Amino acid sequence: MFGTRFSVRLPMLGRSTRVSAVLPQSRILAHATSQSRSFGFAVSQTKSLGYPASQPWTRMPLASNATNSNSMRFFTALRHPGKHQPTTLYRHMSTTRRTVDAPIVGYWSLFCASMVFGIVVWGGLTRLTESGLSIVEWKPITGAKLPTSDLEWDVEFEKYKQHPEYHKVHVGITLEDFQRIYFMEWFHRNIGRLFGIVFLGPAAYFVAKGKVSRRGAVKLGGLGVLLLGQGVMGWYMVRSGLKEGMRERDDDLPRVSQYRLTSHLALAYVLYAGLALYGWNVLRSNRLARGKLPNPDHLRALLLSRDIRMFRRKIAASALLVGTTCLSGAMVAGLDAGLLYNEFPMMGTGITPPMSELWHEFYARGNPSNMWRNFTENPTLVQLEHRVLAMTTFFVLSVMWWRGRGLQLPQGSRVALHAMYALATLQVALGVTTLVNGVPIANASAHQANSVLLLASALRLYHTLRPLARI
């Protein structure tokens, strides 16, 4: 009979005892690995006696709390399979705890991240076409239906006429034009609703079916909270542009608060980053567990080296800088600051505008202690801040690319490094062309979309440099 010699390490009397035995492969192949975890000792394949190894065996950690009775019972089951029926072994298999999430969870998480990317891009288009205030009510369920009859469209149009944007921005807009901007906002909200279904439904299924570990379930719960907070923040942002007070003031154009717009985008970026990192981590852990990661010991040692650890920390800081620059771009969009000083690198007659424009008492609202509001409410200073942050980010990423070229990086890290530098260069080019051409919609949308890709490349590089887990 074909068999395999097994080496079993038993925790007895405070020490480890090793016993070897030749056992029938058909009796123990399906149970030995999972039972080694249940009974608290290590099983390793030491010598094959003619039977093809259909599954890789992994060395399990020696559990410190294993009891002598458990160890002896399992060893007896190995020596005398008839004494313990398969039902007993399966009962112990059901109590094992998952440590690596299923691969499907990783693919699903990355798909959700791609949906967030699409929502961010469409949301930018909604802002650029000044369509975000066309729907003046928040109906999470019934609002999913698009008006179809003339009567329904007339009702929605009359609601819109009661708010300041109709009187100051889209003055005299026709019903046909209103339908265009209404669809932009309606579609943005509906792909958000669709994303909620795509995320929450499978997440609940994976947790219920044990496809994720306890730690994975906690991560999914946190991402779910972010998703719900994103929806609430979206409506909170829209409400800021529907205030009736804007209708009375001639100098106040109806627009959403730049603070709330930036918060809305920040939550989207955090959600995107969380989904991407979680998905990459799940797939990497599965490759490692299944032995599909080439030379894991060498890679683990490389990622723990001093040079790589220092480089990884700098990449993490660089990714944070990229995110900060993206959010400063949201402040520019919220204030329409990109419509000022449409030249580069100059701003008017100098590198910077006059100090009287950068630091004006108008934004202090009559209180000298509130002059700090120039940093977030003065369009001229906000644009200058974004320029400085953008060029600083490009310089830092260029330095990281140059230093990374001289390091012994894994192949995946090297690809991510070059992608990050290429996307950073493209981002600067898109930003400059968007500015000097007066913020055309196509350029501005590409600029925002590429910012998400740039952040993704920095996060990907950071992830490939993280130490390998021991599974």
Side-chain angles (χ1 to χ4, degrees), residues 111-415:
F111 176 75
C112 288
S114 67
M115 286 192 68
V116 174
F117 170 76
I119 294 172
V120 169
V121 173
W122 191 267
L125 284 170
T126 303
R127 175 71 184 88
L128 290 166
T129 56
E130 296 181 330
S131 306
L133 300 178
S134 57
I135 302 180
V136 298
E137 295 175 325
W138 190 42
K139 298 178 179 179
I141 305 299
T142 59
K145 180 181 180 297
L146 183 69
T148 53
S149 65
D150 293 340
L151 178 59
E152 290 177 339
W153 277 115
D154 289 338
V155 170
E156 294 298 321
F157 196 24
E158 288 301 321
K159 291 177 183 177
Y160 179 68
K161 289 180 180 179
Q162 304 304 315
H163 290 82
E165 187 178 64
Y166 173 78
H167 300 275
K168 291 191 173 184
V169 179
H170 298 302
V171 181
I173 186 175
T174 64
L175 178 60
E176 185 179 355
D177 292 333
F178 171 72
Q179 289 174 338
R180 291 194 187 97
I181 63 173
Y182 187 97
F183 177 81
M184 294 290 295
E185 175 64 11
W186 174 85
F187 189 75
H188 180 57
R189 295 189 186 192
N190 268 345
I191 54 178
R193 291 184 178 99
L194 178 61
F195 173 73
I197 296 173
V198 171
F199 178 83
L200 295 176
Y205 172 81
F206 292 143
V207 173
K209 294 297 183 179
K211 298 289 185 180
V212 297
S213 62
R214 289 186 178 180
R215 178 177 295 181
V218 171
K219 291 179 180 179
L220 292 181
L223 292 171
V225 171
L226 271 176
L227 168 60
L228 296 177
Q230 177 72 332
V232 174
M233 178 56 70
W235 172 244
Y236 183 60
M237 175 191 68
V238 170
R239 281 187 58 189
S240 65
L242 300 175
K243 294 179 181 178
E244 284 298 325
M246 296 180 180
R247 186 170 177 177
E248 276 90 41
R249 291 181 54 183
D250 295 333
D251 61 340
D252 197 0
L253 283 177
R255 61 163 66 99
V256 298
S257 165
Q258 72 272 23
Y259 300 110
R260 301 184 192 184
L261 175 65
T262 303
S263 300
H264 188 50
L265 186 63
L267 286 175
Y269 277 19
V270 172
L271 183 59
Y272 175 84
L275 288 167
L277 288 172
Y278 177 62
W280 290 330
N281 187 57
V282 170
L283 296 181
R284 185 197 209 189
S285 298
N286 276 275
R287 290 185 63 200
L288 180 62
R290 297 184 178 195
K292 295 183 178 181
L293 201 64
N295 299 322
D297 293 333
H298 172 73
L299 180 60
R300 182 177 286 110
L302 175 63
L303 296 178
L304 289 176
S305 63
R306 182 178 180 277
D307 290 341
I308 297 298
R309 284 188 289 112
M310 293 294 295
F311 187 66
R312 181 176 67 247
R313 293 169 187 164
K314 293 175 182 178
I315 291 299
S318 301
L320 184 60
L321 180 59
V322 170
T324 303
T325 306
C326 293
L327 296 183
S328 75
M331 296 292 289
V332 172
L335 293 171
D336 289 329
L339 300 177
L340 305 173
Y341 292 105
N342 298 115
E343 57 265 341
F344 187 87
M346 309 297 286
M347 293 185 73
T349 58
I351 296 295
T352 64
M355 193 63 185
S356 59
E357 287 189 44
L358 294 175
W359 201 253
H360 201 283
E361 60 184 10
F362 171 80
Y363 300 99
R365 303 177 185 177
N367 187 352
S369 63
N370 287 337
M371 289 294 288
W372 60 268
R373 291 184 181 274
N374 279 275
F375 287 109
T376 56
E377 298 182 9
N378 185 339
T380 303
L381 183 54
V382 168
Q383 188 193 122
L384 178 61
E385 292 165 359
H386 186 60
R387 289 188 182 211
V388 172
L389 276 172
M391 298 315 298
T392 301
T393 302
F394 180 67
F395 174 76
V396 169
L397 295 183
S398 299
V399 172
M400 290 298 100
W401 174 74
W402 183 261
R403 291 186 177 180
R405 291 172 66 248
L407 295 176
Q408 185 183 357
L409 298 178
Q411 182 63 26
S413 303
R414 194 165 296 279
V415 171

Side-chain angles (χ1 to χ4, degrees), residues 3-8 19-23 25 28 43-49:
T4 300
R5 180 178 298 278
F6 285 89
S7 176
V8 182
V19 184
S20 298
V22 178
L23 305 169
Q25 185 83 12
I28 52 94
V43 178
S44 60
Q45 186 177 11
T46 59
K47 183 178 180 182
S48 177
L49 301 179

